[in-house]
Short mmCIF file of all heavy atoms in Angstrom, two decimals:
data_model
loop_
_atom_site.label_atom_id
_atom_site.label_comp_id
_atom_site.label_asym_id
_atom_site.label_seq_id
_atom_site.Cartn_x
_atom_site.Cartn_y
_atom_site.Cartn_z
N SER A 71 35.67 5.63 -2.12
CA SER A 71 34.66 6.71 -2.28
C SER A 71 34.31 7.29 -0.93
O SER A 71 33.20 7.70 -0.76
CB SER A 71 33.52 6.34 -3.13
OG SER A 71 33.32 5.04 -3.12
N ALA A 72 35.20 7.32 -0.04
CA ALA A 72 34.92 7.66 1.37
C ALA A 72 34.32 9.08 1.44
O ALA A 72 33.41 9.34 2.10
CB ALA A 72 36.09 7.55 2.23
N ASP A 73 34.99 10.04 0.74
CA ASP A 73 34.56 11.37 0.78
C ASP A 73 33.14 11.55 0.35
O ASP A 73 32.37 12.25 0.99
CB ASP A 73 35.52 12.31 -0.03
CG ASP A 73 36.84 12.41 0.52
OD1 ASP A 73 37.06 12.13 1.73
OD2 ASP A 73 37.78 12.85 -0.23
N GLY A 74 32.76 10.89 -0.73
CA GLY A 74 31.39 11.05 -1.24
C GLY A 74 30.39 10.45 -0.27
O GLY A 74 29.38 10.98 -0.01
N MET A 75 30.74 9.31 0.36
CA MET A 75 29.79 8.66 1.34
C MET A 75 29.63 9.54 2.49
O MET A 75 28.51 9.76 3.01
CB MET A 75 30.34 7.31 1.73
CG MET A 75 30.47 6.29 0.62
SD MET A 75 28.81 5.84 -0.04
CE MET A 75 28.29 4.73 1.20
N ILE A 76 30.74 10.17 3.06
CA ILE A 76 30.64 10.97 4.21
C ILE A 76 29.77 12.30 3.92
O ILE A 76 28.97 12.67 4.69
CB ILE A 76 32.04 11.45 4.65
CG1 ILE A 76 32.75 10.09 5.28
CG2 ILE A 76 31.96 12.44 5.82
CD1 ILE A 76 34.15 10.35 5.64
N GLU A 77 30.00 12.84 2.73
CA GLU A 77 29.32 14.05 2.38
C GLU A 77 27.86 13.77 1.95
O GLU A 77 27.05 14.68 1.86
CB GLU A 77 30.02 14.72 1.19
CG GLU A 77 31.37 15.20 1.56
CD GLU A 77 31.38 16.43 2.51
OE1 GLU A 77 30.33 17.10 2.56
OE2 GLU A 77 32.33 16.53 3.25
N GLY A 78 27.44 12.51 1.86
CA GLY A 78 26.17 12.20 1.42
C GLY A 78 25.99 12.24 -0.12
O GLY A 78 24.83 12.34 -0.65
N ASP A 79 27.12 12.29 -0.84
CA ASP A 79 27.03 12.36 -2.26
C ASP A 79 26.99 11.04 -2.99
O ASP A 79 26.82 11.03 -4.26
CB ASP A 79 28.23 13.14 -2.81
CG ASP A 79 28.23 14.63 -2.40
OD1 ASP A 79 27.15 15.17 -2.14
OD2 ASP A 79 29.32 15.22 -2.23
N ALA A 80 27.16 10.01 -2.27
CA ALA A 80 27.23 8.70 -2.93
C ALA A 80 25.85 8.01 -2.94
O ALA A 80 25.23 7.93 -2.02
CB ALA A 80 28.23 7.76 -2.24
N THR A 81 25.55 7.51 -4.14
CA THR A 81 24.38 6.65 -4.29
C THR A 81 24.85 5.21 -4.59
O THR A 81 25.66 5.07 -5.55
CB THR A 81 23.50 7.16 -5.44
OG1 THR A 81 22.97 8.48 -5.12
CG2 THR A 81 22.25 6.21 -5.57
N ALA A 82 24.42 4.26 -3.83
CA ALA A 82 24.93 2.92 -3.99
C ALA A 82 23.73 1.98 -4.34
O ALA A 82 22.58 2.40 -3.90
CB ALA A 82 25.65 2.41 -2.77
N ALA A 83 23.94 0.92 -5.00
CA ALA A 83 22.98 -0.06 -5.26
C ALA A 83 23.48 -1.38 -5.39
O ALA A 83 24.61 -1.59 -5.68
CB ALA A 83 22.15 0.32 -6.50
N ILE A 84 22.69 -2.38 -5.01
CA ILE A 84 23.07 -3.81 -5.15
C ILE A 84 22.05 -4.41 -6.06
O ILE A 84 20.93 -4.42 -5.81
CB ILE A 84 23.03 -4.52 -3.78
CG1 ILE A 84 24.13 -3.92 -2.82
CG2 ILE A 84 23.25 -5.99 -3.94
CD1 ILE A 84 24.13 -4.66 -1.54
N THR A 85 22.58 -4.94 -7.18
CA THR A 85 21.68 -5.73 -8.10
C THR A 85 21.79 -7.22 -7.74
O THR A 85 22.82 -7.73 -7.83
CB THR A 85 22.10 -5.47 -9.53
OG1 THR A 85 22.02 -4.08 -9.82
CG2 THR A 85 21.31 -6.28 -10.53
N ARG A 86 20.63 -7.81 -7.37
CA ARG A 86 20.66 -9.23 -7.02
C ARG A 86 19.72 -9.96 -7.99
O ARG A 86 18.63 -10.27 -7.72
CB ARG A 86 20.12 -9.37 -5.63
CG ARG A 86 21.15 -9.39 -4.56
CD ARG A 86 20.59 -9.66 -3.22
NE ARG A 86 19.66 -8.64 -2.74
CZ ARG A 86 18.98 -8.73 -1.68
NH1 ARG A 86 19.05 -9.78 -0.88
NH2 ARG A 86 18.21 -7.72 -1.33
N ASP A 87 20.31 -10.23 -9.17
CA ASP A 87 19.60 -11.05 -10.08
C ASP A 87 20.25 -12.43 -10.20
O ASP A 87 20.08 -13.26 -11.05
CB ASP A 87 19.57 -10.49 -11.45
CG ASP A 87 20.94 -10.27 -12.04
OD1 ASP A 87 21.91 -10.65 -11.36
OD2 ASP A 87 20.99 -9.80 -13.26
N GLU A 88 21.04 -12.73 -9.12
CA GLU A 88 21.76 -13.99 -8.89
C GLU A 88 22.89 -14.19 -9.95
O GLU A 88 23.37 -15.34 -10.06
CB GLU A 88 20.78 -15.16 -8.97
CG GLU A 88 19.57 -14.94 -8.14
CD GLU A 88 19.83 -14.53 -6.66
OE1 GLU A 88 20.87 -14.86 -6.18
OE2 GLU A 88 18.95 -13.85 -6.14
N THR A 89 23.27 -13.14 -10.70
CA THR A 89 24.33 -13.38 -11.66
C THR A 89 25.32 -12.22 -11.74
O THR A 89 26.38 -12.41 -12.28
CB THR A 89 23.78 -13.47 -13.10
OG1 THR A 89 22.98 -12.33 -13.42
CG2 THR A 89 22.86 -14.74 -13.22
N VAL A 90 24.96 -11.04 -11.21
CA VAL A 90 25.84 -9.87 -11.47
C VAL A 90 26.17 -9.04 -10.24
O VAL A 90 25.31 -8.93 -9.35
CB VAL A 90 25.21 -8.90 -12.47
CG1 VAL A 90 26.06 -7.71 -12.73
CG2 VAL A 90 24.98 -9.68 -13.74
N ILE A 91 27.51 -8.68 -10.13
CA ILE A 91 27.84 -7.68 -9.11
C ILE A 91 28.47 -6.46 -9.93
O ILE A 91 29.24 -6.68 -10.74
CB ILE A 91 28.90 -8.18 -8.15
CG1 ILE A 91 28.34 -9.26 -7.27
CG2 ILE A 91 29.51 -7.09 -7.24
CD1 ILE A 91 29.32 -9.88 -6.31
N GLU A 92 28.04 -5.33 -9.53
CA GLU A 92 28.62 -4.14 -10.16
C GLU A 92 28.88 -3.07 -9.20
O GLU A 92 28.15 -2.79 -8.21
CB GLU A 92 27.64 -3.59 -11.32
CG GLU A 92 27.53 -4.57 -12.43
CD GLU A 92 26.37 -4.19 -13.41
OE1 GLU A 92 25.63 -3.22 -13.01
OE2 GLU A 92 26.37 -4.72 -14.48
N VAL A 93 30.05 -2.34 -9.29
CA VAL A 93 30.44 -1.31 -8.30
C VAL A 93 31.04 -0.15 -9.21
O VAL A 93 31.76 -0.32 -10.14
CB VAL A 93 31.53 -1.82 -7.40
CG1 VAL A 93 31.94 -0.70 -6.45
CG2 VAL A 93 31.05 -3.01 -6.65
N ALA A 94 30.58 1.09 -8.91
CA ALA A 94 31.12 2.30 -9.57
C ALA A 94 31.86 3.13 -8.58
O ALA A 94 31.38 3.40 -7.51
CB ALA A 94 29.99 3.10 -10.21
N LEU A 95 33.15 3.54 -8.92
CA LEU A 95 33.94 4.26 -8.05
C LEU A 95 34.47 5.55 -8.74
O LEU A 95 34.44 5.64 -9.97
CB LEU A 95 35.10 3.44 -7.51
CG LEU A 95 34.67 2.16 -6.84
CD1 LEU A 95 35.90 1.37 -6.48
CD2 LEU A 95 33.92 2.48 -5.52
N ASP A 96 35.00 6.46 -7.97
CA ASP A 96 35.73 7.68 -8.51
C ASP A 96 36.83 7.24 -9.41
O ASP A 96 37.67 6.43 -9.10
CB ASP A 96 36.20 8.43 -7.27
CG ASP A 96 36.66 9.87 -7.75
OD1 ASP A 96 37.44 9.93 -8.73
OD2 ASP A 96 36.31 10.81 -7.10
N PRO A 97 36.97 7.79 -10.63
CA PRO A 97 37.99 7.40 -11.54
C PRO A 97 39.40 7.74 -11.18
O PRO A 97 40.33 7.27 -11.68
CB PRO A 97 37.65 8.18 -12.88
CG PRO A 97 36.86 9.36 -12.42
CD PRO A 97 36.06 8.87 -11.20
N SER A 98 39.57 8.56 -10.11
CA SER A 98 40.91 8.96 -9.65
C SER A 98 41.48 7.94 -8.78
O SER A 98 42.66 8.11 -8.36
CB SER A 98 40.80 10.32 -8.89
OG SER A 98 40.05 10.16 -7.73
N VAL A 99 40.79 6.83 -8.43
CA VAL A 99 41.38 5.89 -7.51
C VAL A 99 42.60 5.22 -8.14
O VAL A 99 42.60 5.11 -9.37
CB VAL A 99 40.29 4.85 -7.20
CG1 VAL A 99 39.07 5.42 -6.47
CG2 VAL A 99 39.88 3.94 -8.31
N ASP A 100 43.46 4.77 -7.36
CA ASP A 100 44.69 4.01 -7.80
C ASP A 100 44.34 2.53 -7.99
O ASP A 100 43.89 1.84 -7.04
CB ASP A 100 45.78 4.20 -6.67
CG ASP A 100 47.04 3.56 -7.09
OD1 ASP A 100 47.08 2.92 -8.14
OD2 ASP A 100 48.03 3.67 -6.31
N LEU A 101 44.54 2.05 -9.17
CA LEU A 101 44.15 0.64 -9.47
C LEU A 101 44.97 -0.29 -8.66
O LEU A 101 44.60 -1.42 -8.35
CB LEU A 101 44.30 0.42 -10.98
CG LEU A 101 43.30 1.09 -11.86
CD1 LEU A 101 43.44 0.64 -13.26
CD2 LEU A 101 41.82 0.80 -11.37
N ALA A 102 46.20 0.14 -8.22
CA ALA A 102 47.02 -0.76 -7.39
C ALA A 102 46.29 -0.84 -5.98
O ALA A 102 46.43 -1.97 -5.36
CB ALA A 102 48.40 -0.05 -7.20
N ARG A 103 45.61 0.14 -5.55
CA ARG A 103 44.92 0.06 -4.34
C ARG A 103 43.74 -0.91 -4.53
O ARG A 103 43.44 -1.71 -3.58
CB ARG A 103 44.43 1.50 -3.91
CG ARG A 103 43.64 1.52 -2.63
CD ARG A 103 44.41 1.05 -1.48
NE ARG A 103 43.63 0.96 -0.16
CZ ARG A 103 43.71 0.02 0.74
NH1 ARG A 103 44.53 -1.03 0.49
NH2 ARG A 103 43.00 0.10 1.75
N VAL A 104 43.01 -0.88 -5.62
CA VAL A 104 41.99 -1.82 -5.91
C VAL A 104 42.53 -3.27 -5.87
O VAL A 104 41.89 -4.13 -5.20
CB VAL A 104 41.30 -1.61 -7.27
CG1 VAL A 104 40.32 -2.67 -7.59
CG2 VAL A 104 40.70 -0.16 -7.31
N GLU A 105 43.73 -3.43 -6.39
CA GLU A 105 44.30 -4.83 -6.37
C GLU A 105 44.64 -5.26 -4.97
O GLU A 105 44.42 -6.37 -4.61
CB GLU A 105 45.61 -4.74 -7.25
CG GLU A 105 46.20 -6.10 -7.43
CD GLU A 105 47.36 -6.03 -8.32
OE1 GLU A 105 48.01 -4.95 -8.46
OE2 GLU A 105 47.72 -7.02 -9.02
N ALA A 106 45.14 -4.25 -4.13
CA ALA A 106 45.44 -4.60 -2.77
C ALA A 106 44.20 -4.99 -1.97
O ALA A 106 44.28 -5.96 -1.20
CB ALA A 106 46.19 -3.38 -2.10
N ILE A 107 43.11 -4.22 -2.17
CA ILE A 107 41.90 -4.50 -1.48
C ILE A 107 41.35 -5.91 -1.95
O ILE A 107 40.88 -6.70 -1.07
CB ILE A 107 40.83 -3.45 -1.75
CG1 ILE A 107 41.28 -2.10 -1.07
CG2 ILE A 107 39.42 -3.85 -1.18
CD1 ILE A 107 40.36 -0.95 -1.37
N ALA A 108 41.45 -6.21 -3.22
CA ALA A 108 41.02 -7.45 -3.67
C ALA A 108 41.78 -8.59 -3.08
O ALA A 108 41.24 -9.68 -2.68
CB ALA A 108 41.14 -7.52 -5.25
N ALA A 109 43.08 -8.36 -2.92
CA ALA A 109 43.99 -9.41 -2.33
C ALA A 109 43.48 -9.69 -0.82
O ALA A 109 43.57 -10.78 -0.40
CB ALA A 109 45.32 -8.99 -2.40
N ASP A 110 43.02 -8.60 -0.14
CA ASP A 110 42.64 -8.83 1.22
C ASP A 110 41.42 -9.80 1.34
O ASP A 110 41.19 -10.42 2.40
CB ASP A 110 42.22 -7.42 1.78
CG ASP A 110 43.44 -6.58 2.06
OD1 ASP A 110 44.61 -7.05 2.01
OD2 ASP A 110 43.19 -5.31 2.14
#
Side-chain angles (χ1 to χ4, degrees):
S71 22
D73 289 343
M75 295 295 283
I76 292 172
E77 294 293 333
D79 292 333
T81 299
I84 293 179
T85 298
R86 267 186 296 175
D87 62 0
E88 314 309 333
T89 59
V90 178
I91 293 179
E92 294 171 348
V93 180
L95 302 173
D96 191 312
S98 64
V99 301
D100 183 356
L101 291 183
R103 179 62 182 139
V104 174
E105 186 176 27
I107 293 175
D110 290 342

